[in-house]
Structure formats: structure tokens, C-alpha cells
Amino acid sequence: MTDNPAVLTVVGIGADGWPGLTGTATAALTGAEVIFGSSRQLALLPESVAAELHPWPTPLVPALRGLLESRRGRRIAVLASGDPMFHGIGATLIRLVGAASVRVIPSPSSVSLAAARLGWPLPDVDVLSLVSAPVEELHPLIHPGRKILILSAGARTPAAVAALLTSRGYADSVVTVLSQLGGPAEELIAGTAANLGSADFDPLNVVAVVCSTGADVSTRPSRPAAPWAGSPKSSGTDAGHSAGGHSAGGHSAGGRMDGGQADGGHADARHLESGHADVGCLDGGHADGGHPDFAHADDGHADGGRSADGLSDGRNLDVSHADGGRQDAGHFDGGRSVGGHSDGGHPDAGHLDGGHLDSGHMDSGHTDSGLSGGGRHLDGGRLDGGLPDGGRSGGGRSGGGRSGGGNGDPVLVGPRPLVPGLSDSVYASDGQLTKREVRAVTLALLGPQPGELLWDIGAGSGSIAIEWMRTHRDCRAIAIESSAERVERIVRNAAALGVPKLRVVEGRAPGALAGLPAPDVVFVGGGLTRDGVVEAALAALPAGGRLVANAVTLESEAVLAAWYARLGGELTRIAVNRASPVGGFTGWRAMMPVTIWSVIRP
């Protein structure tokens, strides 16, 4: 224990308790006057420790500073599970009082112990904490043959993981539940996701997954058979082929393996013990002790003529590019256009309000419901379920074909690539969906960087915000959408595609933008013809911030042309053609061309 009472000492302790601690750790706890920890952790201390023992209150974060201030001048120690700096309370305390005021004495983390038991090199493993996060965050990590270690929220997490794997078509993935790691009651139970069931697992567990090859489902429609051909070939473009499904750590399905005591401690406060959080995981503002009270704050589309049946894989992409380089100095005034919109090109403010056919969303006649101001705010993680509502796609015709993100139920099984441009079929949509080719180009122009916040204005089905967040776990987004029905659909799409922390605001821009956290990047997918939308987006951006806007109508194109004339940037036009049956032959079916303006705020 340090002699300086101004320094907090954080000691990681495992399931093996006091015997598993180093001499440095036991000396720090013996010399402490006050010790904080979960009830389970405090019960591991011997009677020889004379300090005052204080269980953490619930909720912890709001009370933490006051607890420390009230014991100022005394030697304080804090117990954490395993490694306090791995999703642990050590990181929270450092953010609160500064690194110079915190001394950390770690034990092995639960992930280190699990990897050691299974013989998995940690660089080859994806790690996910579900302590205070929805199980849907597992979606982006599910790929054929991949290994995943999941920090559990409690006894129900293994069954939730198994159910999600099964729903994605990975029912034969091997799932191993490692309980009480490092302690005398250590136990490993292995099985497939399909047969793991809802066994009575110890709440102090880590879940290990070896993903199978997954369902043999392509998310891209296959070309119909030609008259001279035999069975039609599936394109197989999105299907994974790597082998998987072998037993994790050598444990056969359904087998049990009782482990002895290990030198390391069990880690990372992942578990609930008699209603108390193991704390130690308030990293990033989340309570990794399972307290709902700490839930994340989540600072958290041309549609086009897609044939409703039998699309082939043929694509034709024409891109017209206007190089803008001009950035008229002095023509940007606080984010407001100088001189208004271009003469004759811009309709009245309400002209296309409601059915904003702007951008890559071809919005089939939606009204903006008259909302202004902040409107409703939804966090994807707060909605139960997580499956999109299928059967609502194709709301209206546009560009000679049926629009929609999957003509019927969205495709929920099979592999999903990490690069932008997911198949349209994975989205539930009423037709307002940025098609995959346009979406991929748009995300490339938006240029997601870890930690950046995106505003997706006129979010439609949420595809731009969702795929922005899928590029990196630290990418954040706020989707702004005026239709209540679409807001609910965005929330479900976000959960089903692995980004349940997407924040969704129901309301009409520009009013709904007031009070939102300042963005780093803005995408305008709807409402371009409404007065003040582009001005508000530009004004919210910092210098160097990026704005991308898509248009499909002449009126919205005129708005983009006017802004391009004032601020420069880049103007790009994309025309996509998809091969489609024409009687017994195949022809090109054109989608509506999309004009994209991208600019960096000076």
C-alpha cells in the first residue's frame, strides 16, 4: 500500500481469492484503512484484513466521487475482478481522478484464463463484453471459423448467445461455458449452439464460441436458369466457406470438464452476485457489473428500379464525376448559404417535405408527421427483440421496378461482410433504402474514422448510420427520421445488424437537430429541399468536418448544384443498372441515378 493517502490502490482479485494474490496485492489490502468492492469480492478477504469494508452501492457511477471524497485523507483500496484495466473499474477511476492518483495491481483477466484453458492464442480471438451491452452486439463478430470470447452478464448469457447463433444459421457452432475460472469450483461445459439449451450455468462465466461455416445462404439473388442450363447456380458471393465447428478446446459436445485451482484470479467483474455488480467494468461509461442503471448514454437512399423477382448478379455502374476544387473564399457564413438557393432551381420549403425524394432514399410518399424540435429519442439497445419487421418492403414503385430492402422478410441468416454495401435483402424497408452500390460509394465518401460521430439526416431504413457503425466499434451515429414507423424499423434493423447502440431521433430537421451532440460528419439523405437543413448541418460541423448529401430529383439536384457552386467540393453522379429477366432473355434494368455532393467545411 502506498504511504500517500491521495493515491487509490486498485487490486484485481480472482475466483481463487486471497491465496491467488501476489505479496504486493496482499500488502496493499492489509495496509488499507477503507476497502470498496462488490459483496462477493469483499467476502474473499480474510479476517486479518482490518480495514472498513464497504460494498458498492447501486447505481455506482453517480455515487463514486462522493464515496471517495468522504474518505479523503485515508488509505483507500478498491477490489476489482481480474485485470482492473480490462473493461474494469480501474479505467473508470483513472478518468475520475487522473492516472497519477491511481495505482493498479492486476490479476489475470477472465479472457486470459479462458484462452489458457482452451489453448487459444489471444491475437487470434475476438473479445466482446456483454455485461452491459445487448446480445445483438455479437452479430458483427460472427464469421465462419472465427473464435470469440464473450464476457458474460450472468447465468442467462450463454443461452442468449446460443439462440442468436442459431437464428443466424450457425446452430452447429461449438459453445463452451467456462465458469468460476481460477477457483476451486471451475467448470467447463461444451456443446453446440443448437443443443446448449438453458442449462443452470454459474453466473460467473465466460462464453467461448467457435463459429461454424454457417448456413449456406447467399444474401444476393441468383441468376435464373437459362433455358439450356441445368440447375441454376447460386452466386455464393456472400457465403462463407472456411471450416469451423470443431470442438472448442478439445471438449466434446455436452461434455464436462472440472478444472482445478489455478494461480490466476478470475477476472473482470462480468457477473451478478446476489444482485450486486462485480463492478470493475465501468469502462467507457458502461457498468460492466451488469447494472442497468449504468446503461450507455449512446452519444449514442435512390431507390431504384429493382425487379421484384429473379434478379441476376449482373451490375452496370456508370459514374459521372465533377471535380470541384473551388472553395469560394468568404462564401461560407456560419453555415448559411449566401444569397439563398439557386434561382429557379429550388422549390418552396415544403415542396418535397414529407416525400423527400432526395438522396439515395426514394421515399414513397411519407409525410414528415409535422414534428419539429427534438422529437422522440430511441436507443436501439433499449428495444426488446432485435429482428426487423419483415414483409413491409417494396412500398411503392420507382424507376421502373419495385423498391425495397428485400421483397418480404429480410434475410437474417448467413455471413455478413464487414465492408460497407451489405445486401439490400438484410434490411427491412418500405422502400426508402439506399441501394447497396450507392451505399458503398456514400460510405467511402463519408470516410468513417474510429470515435467519430455521424448525423444521418432523413435516415429512412437506417442503412447509412448502421453501416457507418459497423466499420468500427467506436464509430457512433445518430439517425434522424420523421416517420414514427420508420424510426421503429431503424431500431430493429440496427439490432439485427449488430449495432443496437445506434441512437434514433424521431423528428424533422432542422428542428430535430437542436441539442444533439456535435457531429464530426453529416449525411443528408432526405429533406434537402427543406429550408435550413443543409445550413444547419454545415453550421454543426467543426472546421474540417465532412458533409455528404445524396439527391435523386431535379429539385434536390438543383440544391446540390447551388451549394457546389458556392462551396466547391466534389459532385458525383452514379447510375446503376441491374440485370433482370426480360421474358426468356436478360436485360438491364436501370435504377434512378443518384447525385452525390461531398464537401469539407472550411
Side-chain angles (χ1 to χ4, degrees):
M1 187 76 193
T2 176
D3 292 330
N4 183 0
V7 175
L8 299 173
T9 301
V10 185
V11 177
I13 190 168
D16 50 355
W18 190 262
L21 295 177
T22 64
T24 302
T26 57
L29 294 171
T30 302
E33 296 176 289
V34 179
I35 300 177
F36 291 102
S38 71
S39 297
R40 182 188 66 81
Q41 293 164 338
L42 293 173
L44 297 173
L45 300 178
E47 293 183 0
S48 58
V49 174
E52 296 175 11
L53 306 183
H54 294 278
W56 291 121
T58 303
L60 170 59
V61 173
L64 193 54
R65 185 179 294 276
L67 289 173
L68 299 178
E69 288 291 339
S70 65
R71 276 82 177 177
R72 180 184 291 275
R74 307 182 71 185
R75 294 189 299 274
I76 300 175
V78 173
L79 291 177
S81 288
D83 184 350
M85 298 303 293
F86 184 71
H87 294 281
I89 196 171
T92 303
L93 290 171
I94 286 174
R95 281 196 301 271
L96 188 66
V97 300
S101 299
V102 179
R103 177 192 184 205
V104 178
I105 305 173
S107 289
S109 70
S110 58
V111 164
S112 295
L113 293 173
R117 300 295 184 271
L118 298 171
W120 291 2
L122 277 176
D124 300 337
V125 178
D126 293 317
V127 178
L128 174 67
S129 173
L130 292 180
V131 175
S132 63
V135 70
E136 289 85 1
E137 291 200 7
L138 177 59
H139 279 298
L141 301 182
I142 300 174
H143 300 284
R146 292 297 297 173
K147 295 176 181 176
I148 309 168
L149 286 174
I150 300 165
L151 307 175
S152 177
R156 297 181 181 179
T157 299
V161 168
L164 188 143
L165 288 166
T166 301
S167 73
R168 279 286 304 276
Y170 289 80
D172 53 344
S173 298
V174 176
V175 180
T176 305
V177 183
L178 304 94
S179 304
Q180 292 285 338
L181 280 167
E186 180 175 307
E187 181 180 52
L188 277 68
I189 302 175
T192 64
N195 66 25
L196 189 69
S198 54
D200 188 19
F201 296 108
D202 187 281
L204 205 64
N205 70 76
V206 173
V207 182
V209 175
V210 180
C211 295
S212 63
T213 54
D216 188 17
V217 175
S218 172
T219 54
R220 177 181 291 179
S222 59
R223 188 178 190 274
W228 61 85
S231 301
K233 280 187 178 179
S234 168
S235 67
T237 301
D238 294 331
H241 303 290
S242 54
H246 51 279
S247 173
H251 306 297
S252 61
R256 300 169 83 91
M257 174 175 169
D258 295 332
Q261 185 167 338
D263 286 337
H266 177 61
D268 300 301
R270 314 287 155 223
H271 321 282
L272 297 177
E273 179 78 19
S274 304
H276 295 290
D278 247 344
V279 186
C281 8
L282 302 168
D283 201 359
H286 308 303
D288 285 350
H291 285 303
D293 314 74
F294 309 151
H296 23 273
D298 299 339
D299 295 43
H301 313 229
D303 181 0
R306 176 170 181 177
S307 169
D309 50 8
L311 291 178
S312 76
D313 287 331
R315 311 276 160 151
N316 182 15
L317 180 66
D318 293 332
V319 179
S320 303
H321 187 73
D323 250 341
R326 284 175 54 251
Q327 192 111 353
D328 289 346
H331 287 200
F332 183 88
D333 181 16
R336 297 176 304 127
S337 72
V338 179
H341 297 288
S342 59
D343 291 338
H346 176 21
D348 292 341
H351 183 59
L352 290 178
D353 273 5
H356 37 268
L357 300 170
D358 308 337
S359 91
H361 317 309
M362 172 62 99
D363 180 5
S364 12
H366 108 261
T367 62
D368 266 346
S369 66
L371 291 176
S372 60
R376 264 198 317 156
H377 294 239
L378 296 179
D379 278 343
R382 290 210 295 255
L383 190 75
D384 291 334
L387 300 182
D389 55 338
R392 299 186 187 228
S393 57
R397 290 187 167 275
S398 61
R402 179 169 299 183
S403 62
N407 183 28
D409 292 340
V411 176
L412 301 177
V413 298
R416 295 172 185 161
L418 294 176
V419 296
L422 292 176
S423 170
D424 299 341
S425 63
V426 302
Y427 290 97
S429 172
D430 61 359
Q432 189 169 342
L433 175 71
T434 305
K435 295 302 185 184
R436 69 183 304 175
E437 296 88 351
V438 176
R439 196 184 322 131
V441 172
T442 300
L443 265 297
L445 291 169
L446 288 168
Q449 298 291 324
E452 287 187 327
L453 173 65
L454 170 77
W455 282 1
D456 182 357
I457 300 173
S461 300
S463 63
I464 294 295
I466 288 169
E467 297 196 28
W468 166 279
M469 291 183 67
R470 282 174 54 85
T471 62
H472 193 277
R473 63 185 179 185
D474 291 333
C475 283
R476 301 165 295 141
I478 301 175
I480 299 96
E481 172 57 49
S482 61
S483 164
E485 182 179 2
R486 287 179 180 140
V487 163
E488 301 294 341
R489 189 178 292 118
I490 292 169
V491 171
R492 288 189 289 273
N493 278 337
L497 295 172
V499 288
K501 292 179 183 176
L502 171 64
R503 179 176 174 182
V504 186
V505 174
E506 181 184 335
R508 171 189 286 183
L513 307 178
L516 297 181
D520 301 291
V521 186
V522 175
F523 173 65
V524 183
L528 276 173
T529 57
R530 191 179 307 129
D531 279 342
V533 171
V534 177
E535 290 90 340
L538 286 168
L541 285 170
R546 306 183 297 282
L547 182 143
V548 176
N550 290 4
V552 297
T553 67
L554 292 176
E555 291 80 4
S556 55
E557 277 192 349
V559 174
L560 294 189
W563 280 104
Y564 174 70
R566 295 184 182 99
L567 298 182
E570 294 183 355
L571 204 59
T572 305
R573 199 163 192 248
I574 298 176
V576 178
N577 295 270
R578 290 178 174 175
S580 178
V582 180
F585 297 91
T586 302
W588 292 107
R589 189 177 298 275
M591 299 167 61
M592 295 185 72
V594 180
T595 301
I596 305 176
W597 177 53
S598 58
V599 71
I600 296 175
R601 177 177 169 172

